[in-house]
Amino acid sequence: MRALRRLCRSLLAAACVASFAASAPAAEMPQEQRAQIESVIRDYLVNNPQVLKDALAALEAHQEKEQRAVVAEAVRDVTADAAARDGIVLGNPEGDITLVEFFDYNCGFCKKALGDIEALVKADPRIRFVLHDFPILRSESADAALVSIAAGNQLSGDKYYRFHSDLLLSKGVVGKERALEVAKAAGADMKRLARDIESEAVRQKLARNMQAGERLSLTGTPSFIAGDSVIPGAVGLETLQTIVASVRQCGKVTC
């Protein structure tokens, strides 16, 4: 044990000297002495590779902890009242819990999840459901998202949901042209819509959505945000109901 402690102290001292040597001018550290120190450290690490493995594992654990903290903060921000201004609120605006979906109009799994979301909101009048455009699949998705956000300036409630569901369930690639057709059918003022699409306010909303998705480390759609967690994928109605019940009970996805 004493020998191990001496070895650890020697290694720590060598590491400190090596760190100093690396930052010190070459004239202050003779080349021979520098080489000896580097040789001691190299030999120790070669003969004790577990030290490197442990260090890497500790680094990964630290980075994962930091990332979890970043995501947790982003979850709180996205489910806050102010964040809903960048999304479209369906269900009960004064609901006791908030469920957020990040979606892409060209996402097949988002189409699949639409029926589950509709059933969930209809069955539970206490849910505030917030939609956030998150166009990551193709350039046409971004064009459709701008139309969607602009349409949200004048369509709300059932009218917006009709627009959203009709556009999401469209066949083929969904882009600006198709989004404008659906908006017109939903009763949007097309002149106002054209102005809003080009407005800085609409483009900033989309930019904030993209930034929020990045902070949440989202890599696909749909992605749901509830309680303290990110739930990726079209998880199904039963799972969504379980999540809502847990968040309502303890504020977390898993109590």
Side-chain angles (χ1 to χ4, degrees):
M1 180 62 73
R2 290 180 180 178
L4 178 58
R5 289 175 179 171
R6 285 197 300 272
L7 179 58
C8 290
R9 287 196 295 268
S10 298
L11 180 62
L12 178 60
C16 291
V17 174
S19 176
F20 170 77
S23 60
E28 296 181 12
M29 175 68 69
Q31 185 61 36
E32 182 178 353
Q33 186 177 358
R34 180 190 296 270
Q36 289 175 346
I37 293 171
E38 292 174 351
S39 178
V40 169
I41 296 173
R42 183 177 58 252
D43 289 346
Y44 177 80
L45 293 177
V46 168
N47 293 322
N48 299 272
Q50 189 62 42
V51 172
L52 285 176
K53 292 181 181 179
D54 292 344
L56 288 173
L59 176 61
E60 289 177 358
H62 178 70
Q63 290 175 333
E64 288 176 2
K65 182 178 180 180
E66 287 187 330
Q67 182 60 28
R68 285 195 299 271
V70 169
V71 170
E73 182 180 5
V75 167
R76 289 192 294 271
D77 291 345
V78 166
T79 55
D81 289 343
R85 299 171 190 166
D86 289 331
I88 301 295
V89 179
L90 301 175
N92 184 353
E94 304 300 326
D96 62 346
I97 68 164
T98 298
L99 180 64
V100 180
E101 181 193 9
F102 283 76
F103 70 95
D104 184 307
Y105 278 113
N106 284 293
C107 166
F109 289 104
C110 297
K111 300 177 193 290
K112 180 180 178 181
L114 182 64
D116 295 332
I117 294 165
E118 182 176 353
L120 179 72
V121 173
K122 282 186 176 181
D124 190 335
R126 293 187 294 162
I127 293 177
R128 181 175 73 156
F129 189 80
V130 184
L131 289 168
H132 281 280
D133 284 273
F134 190 55
I136 59 173
L137 297 180
R138 54 194 308 154
S139 60
E140 291 89 349
S141 297
D143 295 334
L146 289 172
V147 177
S148 170
I149 295 171
N153 289 343
Q154 51 180 301
L155 302 177
S156 60
D158 291 341
K159 283 189 174 182
Y160 181 84
Y161 183 75
R162 173 191 168 191
F163 163 81
H164 172 71
S165 59
D166 287 353
L167 186 57
L168 187 58
L169 296 177
S170 297
K171 295 181 179 180
V173 175
V174 177
K176 182 176 182 179
E177 183 177 353
R178 176 56 182 160
L180 289 173
E181 291 175 356
V182 176
K184 184 176 181 180
D189 179 332
M190 300 307 289
K191 289 184 178 179
R192 178 185 174 185
L193 185 65
R195 291 194 302 270
D196 286 348
I197 290 170
E198 300 300 327
S199 70
E200 185 64 19
V202 165
R203 294 175 183 275
Q204 284 298 319
K205 276 191 176 183
L206 179 57
R208 287 194 293 271
N209 283 355
M210 302 307 291
Q211 290 166 1
E214 183 176 351
R215 289 179 62 208
L216 290 162
S217 298
L218 303 186
T219 58
T221 54
S223 288
F224 297 96
I225 316 299
D228 61 342
S229 301
V230 176
I231 304 97
V235 294
L237 176 59
E238 185 176 342
T239 298
L240 288 174
Q241 290 173 328
T242 300
I243 289 168
V244 167
S246 294
V247 173
R248 188 167 278 142
Q249 177 183 346
C250 66
K252 299 179 180 181
V253 169
T254 303
C255 295

